[in-house]
Amino acid sequence: MTNGRIFKAALVGLSLAICGVTAPDTVLAQELRVVKNGTSSRLSVPMNRAVVVESETPFAELSIANPAIADISSLSDRSIYVLGKAPGTTTLTLLNAQGQLITNVDVVVAADVAEFKERLRQILPGEKIEVRTANDGIVLSGTVSSAMKLQRALDLAERYAPERVSNLMTVGGVQQVLLKVRFAEMERNVSKSLSSSLSFNGNSGGTTLNGGTNTTNTSGGVTTALGGSIPGVNENNGAMLFGFGVGSVEVGVLLEALESKGVVRTLAEPNLTALSGQEAKFLAGGEYPVPVSQENGMISVEFKSFGVELNFVPRVVDGDLINLELRAAVSAIDPSNGYSTDAFTIDAFRRRETSTTVEMRDGESFAIAGLLQDEFIDVNGQVPWLGDIPVLGALFRSAEYQRSQSELVIIVSAHLVTPTRGEALALPTDRIMPPSEKDLFLHGRVARDNSRKLKGAAGEVANQDFSGSYGYVME
C-alpha cells in the first residue's frame, strides 16, 4: 500500500517536471488583478478611458485580439496599460517567457456611464432610473414621476450615446386628464323706432290732389272714412291712424312705434377625458350640407360641422402640473348672412373660435377666452326742410335705434383622474324607465314607477330626491 502511494506521487511529479510548470505557479497564472478592483478574468474599460492592470505572474508577451476596440502597452513585466477605444468585446492574452499561456482576459469596452450617472443624479434627483450598457449603447430602465423628466433623461443620454439609447422607463402617477369646459354666451338686443306717414287727397276746381310722406298701405288694413288704413301686417307694436279735413282736402296721419328687447343665454359644458399626450375631440351639434362646384361642372356636397367643438392635447408635465394645447369653437347657422341664387340657398355660419396653450395644476381653472361685442345703429330720416319745422316737423321724420351686445366667456378646468368601477357610475337614464301600457293609457304616467334598483354608488345617486331645483336654473 505504501509503495503504491509512493509510485503515484512519483508519476505526478514526473508529469509536472516534463511540462516545466509547478502546481502553485499554475494556480497563480490563471489570476489577473485589476488595480483597486480585486481579481477578475473580465475587464471592463470605459470608452476613451484607461485602466492599469497587474498580473501576479510575470509575463513576457501580451497581445490584443482587436486593437480597434482596445489598445494596450506594457509598463513592466507585471503591469499593463489598457485604453478603451470603441464599444465592443475583445480578448487580452498573456504569455510567459517559455511562450506558454498565462491567461486570457475578456476586455469589454462600453460607453462611460459613470459620469452620465452622476449627471443624472444632479439633474433628476430622487428619480429611480437605472443605467446599464448594452453592446455600444445605453439602456435606461425604472420609473419616473412625469413624462417631462423621462424626456430629460433621454436627452441627456443622447449626449453620451447618440442614437444608441434604449428606453425601458415607465411613467408613474396619474396620466389621465379630465377637461371641463364651460361656454357661456349672453346676447342682449334693444330696438326702438318711431315713424310717421302723412297723406292727403282731394279735388278743387277739377284738379286732383294726392301726396304724402313715407308709405301707407291702403289695402289689407283697417279702412277709415278718410280712405287711409292701418296696415294689415305690421311689425310695429303700435300703430295709430287719424285724419282731418280742410275743405275738400282730406289729411291722414299714420304713426307707427316699435320697441323690442330681448335676452338670449347660451350655456354648454362639455367634459372629456384623454390620456397624457393623446388628442381628444368633442362635437355636439351637427353638419350642414354645402354645395361645391367641381372642375368638370358637377356639383358635389360637403358637410360643415357646427355646434360646440373641442379638441385638446393634455400633457402631464410634472406631478400635478398639466400642459393643455386647446382649440375650442362655438358655431351656429346664420340664415341672415347666407347666399342665395335661383337654384339654392346657402346659409352662413356664426362662429367663435379660440386656440391656445396653457399650464395649470390639478383642479385649477383658466378663463382662456372672452369676447365683448357692442353694435349700435342710429338712423334718422326726414323730409327735407319740412322735418326741421319745430313741433310739426316730427310728422315728417322717422327715427330708428338698434343696439346689440354679446359677451362670450370660455373657462377650462383640468383634473387628474383614475378609472373606477363601472357600478359606481350612474347614467341620467338609470332612474327613468319607459312606462307600461297600463301606466301610460290608464294612469297617464310617462315613466314607470318601479324603476330597476341600482347598487353601490350609482344606487345612492339614483335614490336622491330631485324634487327641488336642480340642473341649470334661469331666473
Side-chain angles (χ1 to χ4, degrees):
M1 181 65 68
T2 303
N3 293 334
R5 292 179 178 178
I6 296 173
F7 180 72
K8 292 180 179 178
L11 290 178
V12 172
L14 180 60
S15 62
L16 293 176
I18 293 174
C19 295
V21 181
T22 61
D25 291 339
T26 303
V27 175
L28 294 176
Q30 301 299 324
E31 297 178 351
L32 182 68
R33 182 171 61 85
V34 180
V35 175
K36 298 182 181 180
N37 284 336
T39 303
S40 176
S41 61
R42 180 182 178 89
L43 178 62
S44 297
V45 182
M47 188 171 61
N48 299 324
R49 295 285 185 94
V51 297
V52 176
V53 297
E54 291 185 355
S55 172
E56 296 186 359
T57 301
F59 59 86
E61 184 179 353
L62 72 161
S63 62
I64 192 75
N66 189 348
I69 296 178
D71 194 8
I72 59 173
S73 62
S74 59
L75 303 178
S76 66
D77 60 350
R78 291 177 181 269
S79 301
I80 310 170
Y81 181 85
V82 182
L83 172 65
K85 299 175 64 178
T89 303
T90 186
T91 303
L92 173 65
T93 302
L94 279 69
L95 302 175
N96 60 15
Q98 290 77 27
Q100 295 174 339
L101 177 67
I102 297 177
T103 187
N104 283 325
V105 180
D106 292 333
V107 179
V108 180
V109 179
D112 184 13
V113 296
E115 181 183 358
F116 171 62
K117 290 180 179 179
E118 181 64 24
R119 295 292 180 267
L120 202 59
R121 284 193 295 268
Q122 294 175 357
I123 297 175
L124 301 175
E127 296 296 331
K128 299 178 181 180
I129 302 177
E130 299 179 1
V131 181
R132 298 181 179 87
T133 58
N135 195 7
D136 60 344
I138 296 177
V139 179
L140 301 179
S141 60
T143 303
V144 293
S145 59
S146 66
M148 181 187 69
K149 293 184 177 180
L150 182 145
Q151 188 60 43
R152 288 181 180 176
L154 293 177
D155 293 341
L156 183 61
E158 285 289 336
R159 293 284 185 177
Y160 292 86
E163 299 182 358
R164 299 191 307 275
V165 180
S166 298
N167 177 25
L168 301 180
M169 295 182 292
T170 58
V171 180
V174 180
Q175 297 297 311
Q176 293 183 122
V177 179
L178 170 63
L179 190 66
K180 295 183 178 181
V181 183
R182 287 180 290 172
F183 298 85
E185 183 176 12
M186 181 71 73
E187 295 184 5
R188 295 177 291 270
N189 297 292
V190 177
S191 178
K192 298 180 181 180
S193 67
L194 178 62
S195 62
S196 63
S197 300
L198 178 65
S199 64
F200 57 89
N201 56 66
N203 296 316
S204 178
T207 302
T208 301
L209 299 176
N210 192 351
T213 62
N214 296 332
T215 58
T216 54
N217 186 6
T218 59
S219 62
V222 180
T223 304
T224 66
L226 297 176
S229 66
I230 297 176
V233 180
N234 188 10
E235 296 180 355
N236 292 340
N237 294 335
M240 180 177 62
L241 176 66
F242 65 92
F244 59 91
V246 179
S248 60
V249 178
E250 295 180 347
V251 180
V253 179
L254 175 63
L255 297 179
E256 297 175 289
L258 168 66
E259 181 177 2
S260 63
K261 298 179 181 179
V263 176
V264 178
R265 178 183 178 184
T266 304
L267 181 65
E269 292 192 18
N271 298 336
L272 196 59
T273 303
L275 188 65
S276 176
Q278 301 296 320
E279 183 181 13
K281 298 181 179 180
F282 178 90
L283 172 63
E287 292 186 340
Y288 182 79
V290 177
V292 178
S293 177
Q294 304 296 325
E295 295 181 356
N296 56 5
M298 302 295 290
I299 300 296
S300 63
V301 177
E302 291 185 2
F303 288 87
K304 303 293 183 180
S305 59
F306 66 93
V308 178
E309 301 177 57
L310 175 64
N311 296 351
F312 79 101
V313 180
R315 295 181 179 89
V316 181
V317 179
D318 187 9
D320 61 347
L321 184 62
I322 304 170
N323 178 284
L324 281 178
E325 184 179 343
L326 180 69
R327 186 173 68 86
V330 181
S331 59
I333 298 177
D334 186 9
S336 62
N337 295 322
Y339 172 77
S340 299
T341 64
D342 297 336
F344 50 80
T345 299
I346 304 176
D347 293 330
F349 287 88
R350 184 179 57 186
R351 184 178 180 89
R352 291 173 173 86
E353 182 177 355
T354 180
S355 178
T356 184
T357 301
V358 296
E359 280 189 351
M360 62 184 69
R361 296 195 178 274
D362 180 23
E364 294 182 341
S365 300
F366 254 122
I368 64 168
L371 173 64
L372 180 61
Q373 186 174 358
D374 192 348
E375 297 180 357
F376 175 77
I377 300 176
D378 188 359
V379 179
N380 188 4
Q382 68 178 22
V383 177
W385 302 297
L386 296 180
D388 297 329
I389 300 175
V391 182
L392 294 178
L395 299 176
F396 302 92
R397 289 196 302 263
S398 63
E400 182 179 358
Y401 166 85
Q402 291 182 357
R403 186 171 186 178
S404 176
Q405 292 179 324
S406 64
E407 184 177 1
L408 172 67
V409 177
I410 301 177
I411 300 176
V412 297
S413 303
H415 300 272
L416 295 176
V417 295
T418 55
T420 185
R421 295 174 302 149
E423 57 269 17
L425 301 177
L427 297 175
T429 56
D430 289 338
R431 300 181 68 250
I432 302 296
M433 293 187 66
S436 62
E437 294 183 355
K438 177 182 177 182
D439 291 335
L440 179 61
F441 295 108
L442 185 60
H443 302 289
R445 296 169 182 166
V446 295
R448 189 180 304 179
D449 289 340
N450 55 344
S451 58
R452 62 187 180 95
K453 302 298 181 180
L454 300 177
K455 299 180 180 180
E460 296 178 2
V461 175
N463 292 330
Q464 294 179 5
D465 183 15
F466 292 103
S467 57
S469 300
Y470 65 96
Y472 303 119
V473 180
M474 298 182 60
E475 297 181 354

